Amino acid sequence: MTAIPLGVPRRLVKFTIDGQEARVPEGSTIPDACRAAGKDVPTLCEGDILRPKNACRVCVVKVEGSRTLVPACSRKAEGGMEVRTDTERARHRRKIVLELLASSVDLSTTLRVAEWIKEYEAKPDRFGPEAARVDEEPRIDNELYVRDYDKCILCYKCVDACGNQWQNSFAISVAGRGFDARIAVEHDAPLTDSACVYCGNCIEVCPTGALSFKSEFDMRAAGTWDESAQTETTTVCAYCGVGCSLTLHMQDNEIVKVTSPHDSPVTHGNLCIKGRFGYQHVQNRD
């Protein structure tokens, strides 16, 4: 959900979604209002802690008076607005976008995408195997995380997280143009030769698994990764006095990765290299 600053209570904005009256705090986006009303609008690139980029276009909806379909993730709810989320035009647009994305990149680790492909009867296979955009092996050049650009949908969330919205390291950018566009560090070098500080905040916001913990990547390759068998425990990082919140993901009594709660007033999902990757010392390893 979009972060709404606390302080003076916000007035409620009244509008309609699919003919149903809705009231949300001023500043809320259309997806915020849809979730509050129990309606599901699919989205891949929406982030609850980054400014929307309008990249994936899966969340398009019909707003009365608008000539074109509107990307819901960046559109704020307005008084008197009439929103329709399930028109034939919107469903057709989502189907085409899902087909284009699923035919060009690997969405096998993208949450809910298989469900949406089935719901919208998308047929990515009709574009053929030559539609793959990158078709390269995962980049494994360090022991902390893996870059698998075959899964990248160019949502730019990692660029924003590494840039002026979060980390201000500016190690990640977009290289190339058109079909050759890809996420890369300077000169497309290995991470070890870049300005990356290994905070892992890019992993936190990646929606497709194009950026993942090396531990997760290795376990998936070995067929041992099982999210249904994992538990989550939220605690506080012990490395310094800032008090960052950590969520430890456990499987078979071992920490397999670390995330941070996005609603934490201290971190808002951010961590440093110690908080995100420095957990090996608490585990018994041979």
Side-chain angles (χ1 to χ4, degrees), residues 29-246:
T29 62
I30 291 177
D32 291 337
C34 288
R35 283 187 284 264
K39 296 183 178 294
D40 181 29
V41 175
T43 179
L44 294 176
C45 71
E46 183 199 15
D48 55 356
I49 41 184
L50 293 172
R51 291 190 295 273
K53 208 73 172 183
N54 302 331
C56 76
R57 299 282 167 160
V58 179
C59 69
V60 289
V61 296
K62 169 67 176 176
V63 174
E64 294 299 327
S66 179
R67 180 177 60 86
T68 62
L69 294 174
V70 171
C73 64
S74 62
R75 186 66 179 265
K76 299 292 179 65
E78 302 171 8
M81 176 185 283
E82 295 182 28
V83 179
R84 298 195 177 276
T85 67
D86 202 35
T87 65
E88 181 179 353
R89 185 182 180 191
R91 291 185 63 86
H92 181 69
R93 180 70 61 85
R94 292 173 192 157
K95 173 184 177 180
I96 296 298
V97 170
L98 287 168
E99 288 180 339
L100 290 171
L101 287 174
S103 65
S104 59
V105 299
D106 176 9
L107 298 180
S108 61
T109 54
T110 304
L111 291 176
R112 299 194 63 191
V113 75
E115 169 191 340
W116 293 329
I117 288 175
K118 182 177 180 180
E119 177 182 351
Y120 291 99
E121 300 180 345
K123 297 178 174 58
D125 293 341
R126 69 189 181 94
F127 293 105
E130 64 277 6
R133 187 180 64 82
V134 178
D135 194 22
E136 67 175 42
E137 292 297 316
R139 299 192 180 192
I140 308 173
D141 50 22
N142 66 94
E143 291 300 315
L144 299 182
Y145 73 94
V146 175
R147 297 177 291 167
D148 188 355
Y149 291 143
D150 269 4
K151 297 181 178 180
C152 178
I153 61 171
L154 292 174
C155 68
Y156 304 100
K157 292 173 71 175
C158 60
V159 177
D160 290 339
C162 189
N164 60 5
Q165 291 197 43
W166 271 14
Q167 189 64 26
N168 286 293
S169 290
F170 299 97
I172 306 174
S173 188
V174 180
R177 293 292 183 270
F179 287 106
D180 294 326
R182 66 179 64 204
I183 303 299
V185 298
E186 60 268 29
H187 308 297
D188 203 18
L191 278 180
T192 50
D193 297 333
S194 73
C196 177
V197 296
Y198 298 96
C199 63
N201 291 329
C202 55
I203 306 174
E204 185 75 38
V205 299
C206 180
T208 64
L211 303 172
S212 65
F213 281 77
K214 177 109 178 3
S215 55
E216 178 179 347
F217 179 85
D218 290 342
M219 291 177 69
R220 286 186 183 276
T224 58
W225 182 263
D226 184 4
E227 291 189 6
S228 65
Q230 294 175 13
T231 59
E232 299 180 10
T233 301
T234 298
T235 183
V236 177
C237 181
Y239 275 104
C240 72
V242 173
C244 297
S245 298
L246 307 179

